[in-house]
Amino acid sequence: MAVAALGTTAALAAPAGLAQAAPTDTAPVAARSAGATQTSPTHTASKAAAPAAWAAGTRAYLVITAPGGTSAVSGAVTGNGGSVFASYDAIGVIVAHSTSASFASAMRAVTGVQQVGATRTSDVPADAYNPALPANPAQSATTLTESNRWDMTQIKADQAWAVSTGSASVKVGVLDTGVDDQHQDIAPNFNAADSASCAYGKADTRAGAWRDVGTHGTHVAGTIAAAKNGKGVIGVAPGVKISSVRIAEPTSSLFFAENTICGFMWAGDHGFKVTNNSYYTDPWQFNCPDNIDQAAIIEGVRRAQVYAEGKGSLQVAAAGNSNYDLANKTTDSESPNDSTPVTRTITNACIDIPTELPGVVTVAAQASGGAKSSYSNFGNGVIDVAAPGGDGATGVYSTLPGGKYGSMSGTSMASPHVTGVAALIASANPAFTPAQIRDQLGAQATDRACPSDTRCKGTTTKNGFFGEGAVDALKAVGGSTPPPGAYFENLTDVAIADNATVESAITVSGVTGNAPATLKVGVDVKHTYIGDLKVDLVAPDGTVYTLHNRTGSGTDNIVQTYTVNASAEVANGVWKLRVNDNASQDTGRIDAWNLTF
């Protein structure tokens, strides 16, 4: 989500779905999240035949089944007046098109169908059936020479380059408006073989389909990995490879759920170590689980993210540019952004996708002096780390299509800095899992305390403005930080009802002997009154270790890592996180938890 604060070359207009930009940014939250204006493997979308011709009134739906179950219900899609546009059997998601107003309700009654949801409040464009290739802009040569920019010095990237510029074996995916692969600062690091368009929800692998339909994606790509070639600018990780997966649709520049799903599946199947997501999934700034359509969007995109992470891909995403407290949601007045927005009351159960999905690194933006950018979303327990995004007259300078350069501001600009640092961590530690890279981003970050602003909740080490702090590229290339021990996590939500006890289990295997005396237990519990809660770690033999016992009064959420002396316990077996709610009125969920041995 970028803020449109361009430099000398051209004025940018943010795409509607961009990860919310700052006040001067017109980009929608999805594209806005990012910043300014706005031959595939087995599990990529199958090329199911689409209707021969587009028809007015065509809408898109996610039809969700059990993984592996799409073929059993695809006939019902056709039988109920629809067509299968794309199918992701590995996660049980079909992208269906239909002009029938009764299609969704009819499909919900089909055996084997778990959820059905419309992904838009507008028609699918006719371009979906015969997509036009984006323009390949003429390139302008530059006389600019590389210099140390404020954003790179702020995260010590300029010092990191003297140690390492990253590994060419590390693939980074830019899921955005597309990337100008011909740009003089991007071409040396561009990976065309793993680039595609996912606009409309089905991979288009034609040469050039990945190119920019705006400016946003090219700007993001330059921040991540512009070449260290003596001209223009240098990216955070100028030695890694960049692939473009265009998920924005032309004209609207919106990022619908099926496009995001296609992008995450592509990332997993093509070996992307990290992806950058500077947008929110249109048309809803926040998707609410009590809405039948939005619940399907949440589930479909969540499954695709879990699939990508399971294949070794870490997702980094912009927090958004509405200066909004994501830990205390009340209203949404920007949705749906593909038709007529309305103001609606929402709660914290409604989430910004993909940035609030489990496992995704949520990035807030900092101004040139290190303060929270005026536009940046925030939220204690939501923000993971912070990075330069610019503010006011000082933006982030990077690449633009056609060999040009310019400045933008937004959390869309902050996210690629974090993506670049994550790529450096992956380069220095090639065996790291996505969870380990995610942990290192936080562990290496420079703590930033809350300013004298009552909206900033938390501690110096972790708070709502900066998360665990500002990312540090120099630490990322140190390569000497010992990797964490064996890591296990459970990202499945478990609802916590009033006066109830719930459990979430993790099966540990492959660890020799007993657990350590410094077993790390990471807990992410979303709850509106943690004074109601008792939280225990239950060892495989039933021994209970109390982590939290009804402290914190009316504070929201438990997002904390506890150290437990579990040296008396055999490591392998089923460990449980047990949460007991001891009162009425306030409920929540176990969002995620993990164990590091």
Side-chain angles (χ1 to χ4, degrees), residues 219-245:
H219 194 278
V220 164
T223 297
I224 297 168
K228 196 172 187 295
N229 56 4
K231 65 181 77 172
V233 297
I234 310 174
V236 176
V240 305
K241 292 298 182 183
I242 283 286
S243 296
S244 171
V245 183

Side-chain angles (χ1 to χ4, degrees), residues 357-443:
L357 288 176
V360 176
V361 178
T362 305
V363 182
Q366 294 175 276
S368 59
K372 170 190 170 297
S373 297
S374 60
Y375 53 80
S376 181
N377 286 354
F378 57 97
N380 194 25
V382 179
I383 301 301
D384 291 310
V385 290
D391 206 356
T394 305
V396 172
Y397 195 73
S398 187
T399 49
L400 297 176
K404 300 176 182 179
Y405 300 84
S407 293
M408 297 188 199
S409 296
T411 56
S412 285
M413 281 60 259
S415 182
H417 286 89
V418 177
T419 297
V421 173
L424 292 176
I425 292 172
S427 298
N429 305 277
F432 267 21
T433 64
Q436 289 173 321
I437 298 172
R438 187 168 62 240
D439 285 350
Q440 286 295 85
L441 284 168

Side-chain angles (χ1 to χ4, degrees), residues 169-181:
S169 65
V170 171
K171 298 179 185 178
V172 178
V174 177
L175 278 58
D176 212 292
T177 61
V179 174
D180 179 7
D181 56 304

Side-chain angles (χ1 to χ4, degrees), residues 58-60 118-124 256 282-284 293-294 335-341:
T58 298
R59 294 293 173 93
T119 65
R120 310 164 184 246
T121 62
S122 58
D123 290 356
V124 175
F256 292 100
D282 298 296
W284 306 100
D293 292 315
Q294 293 164 38
S335 308
N337 62 9
D338 67 334
S339 54
T340 303

Side-chain angles (χ1 to χ4, degrees), residues 526-573:
K526 299 295 192 292
H527 197 278
T528 51
Y529 200 99
I530 67 172
D532 291 351
L533 302 182
K534 183 173 184 288
V535 181
D536 300 312
L537 175 69
V538 184
D541 68 356
T543 302
V544 176
Y545 298 85
T546 297
L547 307 177
H548 170 94
N549 193 3
R550 305 198 68 180
T551 59
S553 299
T555 305
D556 287 354
N557 306 332
I558 301 172
V559 183
Q560 186 171 336
T561 298
Y562 299 88
T563 300
V564 174
N565 183 352
S567 57
E569 307 295 336
V570 174
N572 291 336

Side-chain angles (χ1 to χ4, degrees), residues 179-273:
V179 174
D180 179 7
D181 56 304
Q182 305 296 311
H183 193 289
Q184 59 213 338
D185 249 343
I186 292 175
N189 292 333
F190 193 77
N191 174 17
D194 293 308
S195 295
S197 168
C198 271
Y200 311 114
K202 180 166 60 179
D204 179 352
T205 59
R206 292 176 298 164
W210 58 72
R211 292 198 175 114
D212 211 331
V213 294
T215 55
H216 192 269
T218 300
H219 194 278
V220 164
T223 297
I224 297 168
K228 196 172 187 295
N229 56 4
K231 65 181 77 172
V233 297
I234 310 174
V236 176
V240 305
K241 292 298 182 183
I242 283 286
S243 296
S244 171
V245 183
R246 177 168 64 85
I247 60 172
E249 297 180 5
T251 307
S252 70
S253 288
L254 293 179
F255 301 64
F256 292 100
E258 58 268 37
N259 310 3
T260 304
I261 290 168
C262 174
F264 285 166
M265 298 299 288
W266 183 273
D269 285 334
H270 288 260
F272 294 174
K273 199 67 177 178

